[in-house]
Amino acid sequence: MIAHARLWDLEDLSPLTPVIPFREKTERLPPRPRILFVTPEISRISPLMCPGAERFSVKSGGLADISATLVENLIRDGADVHLAIPHYRNIFRNGKSDGNASAICAAPESRVHLAEDCAFYRRTGAYHGSPDELRSAAIAFQREVINHIIPRVRPDIVHCNDWMTGLIPAACKKLGIKTLFAIHNIHREATTLAEIENKGIDAGGFWNLLHYENYPSSFEDCYHHNPVDPLSSAIQNADFVSTVSPTFLEEIIHNKHGRLPASIRWDLRMKIDSGYASGILNAPDASYDPELDGALAKKYDHTNYRRGKNGNKRQLQKQLGLSQDSKAPIFFWPSRLDPVQKGCQLLTEILFQITSDYSEDGLQLVMIGDGCFQDHFHNIVARHDLRDRVAIMNFDEDLARLAFGGSDFVLMPSSYEPCGLPQMIGARYGTLPIVHDTGGLHDTVSQLSDDCSTGNGFVFHHFDSNGLRWAIDQAMAFHRSPKHIHEATLGRVMVESASRFSTEAMCAQFSQIYRKLVQDKIGASSQSS
Ligand code: GLC
């Protein structure tokens, strides 16, 4: 475990950082900055923020988990954190709640601020809907944050996440509020000033700070026809930009994903050079621990994992209707079945072949994820009658945890991956990751060496089904290796992962950024006074 100072012990600041005594120079500033964390999804709300709100959860992807982990740990570290999130009435009701989120979060001591708009009320998932609906919901969310939540909370720092919060840094700049913008993904929906203003955001004060597709000659010329790019606008205006892994930041700068204009990549590079952009590796929540995980049929650690994993494998096979065979290697697909990012099309090309080539080993595949490619997998399974070897299920948190516990390998052949959490969770559970060498996967998985003394998984470099097949063959060779090598390797990987993928390290880095932004604010206000 990495020890770090509590967030606001100012005397612990590094000697390189000039310490400006808070009270003497800055009577007007609070002794502890208030952080407003703005996110479209969160998988768990800490009861420390608002008793009763822990029942409200909305999760579509990794951003929800990271939001929950970060907010909870920052509060434990002593930070004054508030949360802004859309009021997903329907989703919150489907949880174990009574649906009365507005009343609960309106309590005077609450630090949870719900953005109200009918665009969120009937949603069934944070990002369900057409691009028009997503864009319109994102603008409604930002309207509530800019017009109501920021004036109510009066934060020192606003921590924004992804394009749905991308207009906020420009609005905050005008108000003298520092912002941190975290890039979890490079998707975004462009909008227009007309749409922004029609939805109720007065952009008059900051329209010239936004990033447009074409040169913005005047407010009137831009209004209807010059699209605003919310992701680029955020990068341009945020005081600090973070990505969720160091390699993904490098990839953006080098235009590997071809999605950001040159001027914005240049801006980002300047921010890196001046210490105002960095890649901070996500870490899985501490609850992903096979010793503690209540969703497992059998809990285990690095000393007794063989019995533990076998118990979970039997339960998983039983629950999913697979052949009951504790020797069968199970490959677990933990992500959305999304061909743009997650690379599931590579698996469709080789699925039948690997099940038939490794039929003597009894190779099985467990897929737990929603997405448009589910039907393709169902068709392959039906055509080749693979029902006792391949299970395809919608996403379910407890089932996914059981699969981490009961499988042998985790499949993540993503075409690009800003960070990715399942590869780290897998390693913690002794379920070795098979990954394409990209983004956060590059930073967290390295190829197992021939003698198995180093490395924690299987890494392929050419993004095609041959690359994936090569990595699966490597994994199967490892699966067939002598028992003592197999055991020593899994034990080593489990121990290393528990300390390496740590939320403490992630939170400590965000704490440093907050300190830096607060000091900048203090520096600026003492210069102007
Ligand atoms: C997005 C990214 C994923 C990352 C997650 C949390 O879902 O695709 O790579 O792990 O956000 O930051």
Side-chain angles (χ1 to χ4, degrees):
M1 207 187 253
I2 295 172
H4 68 283
R6 273 175 69 82
L7 190 48
W8 304 114
D9 293 342
L10 275 185
E11 53 281 9
D12 291 334
L13 284 175
S14 115
L16 294 175
T17 324
V19 178
I20 299 158
F22 259 123
R23 301 228 163 69
E24 271 171 43
K25 287 201 178 172
T26 58
E27 281 308 340
R28 282 166 298 156
L29 285 167
R32 194 168 65 134
R34 182 168 295 161
I35 296 149
L36 177 63
F37 193 88
V38 185
T39 179
E41 54 172 330
I42 190 160
S43 55
R44 197 180 56 248
I45 298 178
S46 166
L48 297 172
M49 298 198 105
C50 172
E54 63 274 17
R55 289 171 287 171
F56 307 121
S57 160
V58 51
K59 171 169 169 174
S60 283
L63 172 55
D65 288 329
I66 285 304
S67 298
T69 305
L70 192 56
V71 166
E72 202 161 278
N73 281 275
L74 289 169
I75 294 174
R76 279 210 207 104
D77 274 0
D80 181 8
V81 189
H82 287 243
L83 172 72
I85 183 133
H87 184 187
Y88 299 107
R89 203 188 268 168
N90 198 22
I91 303 174
F92 290 166
R93 261 189 204 141
N94 289 340
K96 290 164 216 138
S97 75
D98 58 5
N100 202 2
S102 295
I104 289 173
C105 297
E109 71 280 14
S110 169
R111 285 157 183 236
V112 179
H113 307 272
L114 297 178
E116 302 288 349
D117 191 285
C118 57
F120 321 126
Y121 294 159
R122 283 179 289 278
R123 277 187 174 276
T124 50
Y127 314 123
H128 287 182
S130 65
D132 281 355
E133 286 167 330
L134 289 180
R135 200 177 57 240
S136 159
I139 298 174
F141 179 34
Q142 296 179 90
R143 179 200 64 221
E144 292 299 291
V145 173
I146 294 169
N147 294 355
H148 303 297
I149 300 179
I150 289 178
R152 192 185 319 143
V153 175
R154 302 207 288 140
D156 298 292
I157 297 168
V158 180
H159 184 148
C160 300
N161 294 278
D162 271 352
W163 71 270
M164 302 73 109
T165 65
L167 305 173
I168 296 173
C172 284
K173 203 176 228 176
K174 277 282 162 200
L175 298 168
I177 299 172
K178 296 280 177 192
T179 50
L180 161 60
F181 181 71
I183 304 176
H184 297 259
N185 217 319
I186 41 179
H187 301 309
R188 78 276 214 178
E189 296 295 336
T191 180
T192 57
L193 277 176
E195 191 173 18
I196 293 170
E197 294 224 316
N198 287 340
K199 271 256 171 233
I201 298 178
D202 176 7
F206 62 85
W207 75 274
N208 54 337
L209 299 177
L210 299 173
H211 185 91
Y212 297 85
E213 207 170 285
N214 304 305
Y215 182 76
S217 42
S218 69
F219 183 79
E220 289 70 27
D221 286 346
C222 285
Y223 203 70
H224 288 289
H225 304 295
N226 195 356
V228 176
D229 172 352
L231 185 63
S232 297
S233 298
I235 295 172
Q236 192 166 292
N237 289 292
D239 296 285
F240 199 105
V241 176
S242 67
T243 58
V244 286
S245 69
T247 295
F248 192 62
L249 180 56
E250 280 297 307
E251 290 174 351
I252 292 179
I253 295 295
H254 292 110
N255 203 20
K256 200 147 177 227
H257 308 298
R259 306 241 187 129
L260 281 176
S263 62
I264 295 298
R265 284 185 279 118
W266 178 250
D267 192 318
L268 200 47
R269 181 179 284 286
M270 302 293 276
K271 283 190 159 92
I272 298 174
D273 291 346
S274 57
Y276 285 90
S278 65
I280 300 177
L281 200 60
N282 283 339
D285 194 72
S287 69
Y288 286 106
D289 178 345
E291 253 185 288
L292 307 172
D293 193 333
L296 296 185
K298 210 162 177 54
K299 298 182 181 137
Y300 61 95
D301 63 22
H302 68 283
T303 61
N304 58 7
Y305 71 83
R306 181 175 280 273
R307 275 187 38 226
K309 287 188 80 68
N310 277 346
N312 291 309
K313 184 174 282 185
R314 277 193 300 276
Q315 176 61 29
L316 186 66
Q317 288 170 330
K318 190 165 150 207
Q319 217 163 304
L320 301 181
L322 297 168
S323 299
Q324 305 269 307
D325 175 1
S326 61
K327 290 210 165 49
I330 299 188
F331 289 71
F332 169 38
W333 180 282
S335 325
R336 293 191 308 280
L337 293 166
D338 154 19
V340 176
Q341 182 180 348
K342 299 296 181 183
C344 49
Q345 68 280 27
L346 307 191
L347 188 59
T348 53
E349 288 172 29
I350 56 171
L351 176 56
F352 171 66
Q353 204 55 47
I354 55 171
T355 49
S356 95
D357 290 353
Y358 291 111
S359 64
E360 274 183 26
D361 301 85
L363 183 149
Q364 298 184 353
L365 179 70
V366 167
M367 312 186 79
I368 303 180
D370 309 337
C372 61
F373 248 58
Q374 255 201 14
D375 284 348
H376 293 287
F377 285 102
H378 280 300
N379 289 341
I380 296 170
V381 170
R383 191 172 331 123
H384 301 289
D385 196 16
L386 293 171
R387 262 163 301 210
D388 58 347
R389 307 269 305 279
V390 179
I392 304 159
M393 309 294 291
N394 286 336
F395 184 77
D396 176 277
E397 179 76 29
D398 282 350
L399 189 56
R401 283 173 178 263
L402 179 64
F404 278 116
S407 306
D408 298 274
F409 304 106
V410 173
L411 287 168
M412 292 192 74
S414 310
S415 58
Y416 73 93
E417 193 64 74
C419 181
L421 290 168
Q423 80 278 15
M424 293 186 254
I425 300 172
R428 275 191 187 173
Y429 283 63
T431 306
L432 301 189
I434 294 173
V435 305
H436 173 223
D437 186 30
T438 182
L441 301 174
H442 174 88
D443 293 333
T444 51
V445 184
S446 53
Q447 178 72 26
L448 204 59
S449 59
D450 289 345
D451 64 357
C452 296
S453 63
T454 59
N456 61 355
F458 308 92
V459 184
F460 66 97
H461 298 265
H462 298 288
F463 182 73
D464 60 21
S465 54
N466 291 329
L468 175 59
R469 173 68 204 243
W470 174 86
I472 291 174
D473 289 343
Q474 296 281 308
M476 284 304 295
F478 169 70
H479 184 74
R480 291 166 171 175
S481 62
K483 195 169 152 191
H484 67 281
I485 294 185
H486 199 261
E487 298 216 331
T489 306
L490 293 199
R492 173 180 64 75
V493 171
M494 286 178 73
V495 171
E496 286 172 3
S497 314
S499 60
R500 181 170 164 213
F501 304 134
S502 108
T503 49
E504 280 83 4
M506 172 179 77
C507 292
Q509 291 181 73
F510 280 108
S511 303
Q512 285 288 351
I513 298 172
Y514 295 151
R515 287 172 184 216
K516 191 176 167 109
L517 295 182
V518 169
Q519 289 202 328
D520 287 353
K521 183 169 174 178
I522 293 169
S525 68
S526 63
Q527 265 172 21
S528 63
S529 61

